[in-house]
Amino acid sequence: MDTIFLSEVKVQTKLGVPEWERMVEQTIILDIEIGYDLSLACKSDDVADTIDYGLVVNRVRETLKEHSFKLVEALAEHVCQLILKEFSALNVKVKVAKPAILPGLKALGVIVERTAS
């Protein structure tokens, strides 16, 4: 299996357990790995034979602007399911980082990996 990766994708969303934290958008950083069979695209050199990375980034940004999450876990699951369903990925791994949320901490977050059923 092949992997498409999108590194350090900055998105805006409302995220946090306390309600006040979800009142304003925050920058969240995503690392996304998408499992896909790229053998045809390698031969054809045609974007129709792969996943359009720009469409993935735009769709993730769009959906995260529309939703609010309490937990980074729920946000990661949402992104995984979106990519599996809308882009026919074989599997997806999403790292969600919430930067500088606690003093002395660069970031906190989760890594969630899901496979198409």
Side-chain angles (χ1 to χ4, degrees):
M1 180 176 352
D2 306 304
T3 302
I4 296 166
F5 72 91
L6 306 167
S7 182
E8 296 186 20
V9 179
K10 293 181 181 173
V11 298
Q12 297 292 311
T13 193
K14 295 180 180 177
L15 175 66
V17 173
E19 190 175 329
W20 62 264
E21 199 173 1
R22 292 187 313 278
M23 299 298 279
V24 295
E25 290 183 339
Q26 306 170 44
T27 300
I28 304 302
I29 301 169
L30 304 176
D31 289 328
I32 304 170
E33 295 181 14
I34 303 168
Y36 199 77
D37 181 357
L38 298 174
S39 57
L40 188 57
C42 291
K43 293 174 189 168
S44 71
D45 197 23
D46 188 340
V47 72
D49 294 326
T50 187
I51 294 175
D52 185 325
Y53 322 141
L55 290 179
V56 173
V57 171
N58 288 339
R59 185 66 183 104
V60 167
R61 285 185 174 141
E62 176 184 278
T63 191
L64 293 183
K65 231 173 180 7
E66 295 169 356
H67 291 85
S68 172
F69 302 90
K70 291 182 182 176
L71 302 176
V72 291
E73 292 87 345
L75 186 150
E77 182 69 23
H78 179 83
V79 172
C80 283
Q81 294 305 317
L82 173 97
I83 293 170
L84 288 171
K85 292 174 183 167
E86 293 188 19
F87 295 96
S88 302
L90 300 173
N91 66 35
V92 64
K93 181 177 180 180
V94 175
K95 175 183 174 184
V96 178
K98 193 172 177 180
I101 194 65
L102 296 171
L105 183 68
K106 182 176 179 178
L108 64 81
V110 298
I111 299 173
V112 172
E113 189 167 1
R114 298 291 181 260
T115 301
S117 45

